[in-house]
Amino acid sequence: MKTLALAFAAAALLVAGCSTEYQPLESRAPVVREGGYGTRKVVDGVDIWTTGEPPRKYQVLGIINDERLQAPYEMGRYYDDVAAKVKEAGGNGANEVYSDSQITGIVSSSSTTSSGTVSAYGAGNVAFGRYSGSSNTMGWSAAQRHHSARFVVVKYL
């Protein structure tokens, strides 16, 4: 029963832990640029520029901010969610200008009771953890990561 409750809590956290929001650009005149080079992946007909920018003239339409748990399902939908927002905004592509992830906690499970404390902290790409206490059974622990990204939405001219 305890495992089932933990599974429901984790599922609720996953659903609540994702947002992809578009903010339109406000300026006195259209912002037009011309890129030189970049790398892209095409997702549902939308160019996602993972490095650089489109090697053509384009107009900046706005910004997409994406926040999500870094878990298999959420990250599997990452570029799909961005592509959907680009289409809603009337764009052809998006330049990925920022992407980062951080450890935000530790998720663990055990089939019996135990006593002790767990502490963890991260520095860069390294996590440090410590458990002190006692337990007679085996369980698992995993780092919970949060992913943040920013995209510039573009329309080709």
Side-chain angles (χ1 to χ4, degrees):
M1 188 65 158
K2 196 186 261 189
T3 304
L4 186 60
L6 182 63
F8 280 124
L13 200 72
L14 293 177
V15 171
C18 181
S19 73
T20 306
E21 296 181 358
Y22 171 75
Q23 296 174 315
L25 183 71
E26 296 184 23
S27 65
R28 292 181 190 208
V31 176
V32 176
R33 297 191 46 132
E34 188 166 351
Y37 65 93
T39 60
R40 71 179 165 148
K41 38 180 9 177
V42 179
V43 179
D44 199 20
V46 173
D47 293 337
I48 306 290
W49 295 90
T50 55
T51 59
E53 53 190 335
R56 61 181 63 122
K57 193 179 272 192
Y58 62 88
Q59 179 182 350
V60 175
L61 300 179
I63 302 291
I64 292 174
N65 289 304
D66 185 84
E67 303 284 335
R68 64 184 64 224
L69 290 175
Q70 189 167 337
Y73 177 77
E74 287 74 16
M75 293 308 292
R77 297 274 326 142
Y78 176 56
Y79 288 123
D80 295 309
D81 293 345
V82 171
K85 286 293 181 183
V86 169
K87 284 183 171 184
E88 285 178 26
N92 305 104
N95 302 345
E96 188 171 22
V97 295
Y98 172 80
S99 179
D100 188 41
S101 64
Q102 297 178 339
I103 295 175
T104 57
I106 303 293
V107 179
S108 62
S109 174
S110 176
S111 60
T112 64
T113 60
S114 61
S115 61
T117 60
V118 175
S119 61
Y121 66 95
N125 291 331
V126 180
F128 304 95
R130 185 177 67 135
Y131 172 78
S132 59
S134 62
S135 175
N136 293 328
T137 62
M138 294 181 63
W140 57 266
S141 295
Q144 179 178 320
R145 298 184 68 90
H146 178 83
H147 185 264
S148 300
R150 183 170 298 122
F151 296 82
V152 174
V153 179
V154 302
K155 182 173 184 72
Y156 301 142
L157 300 176

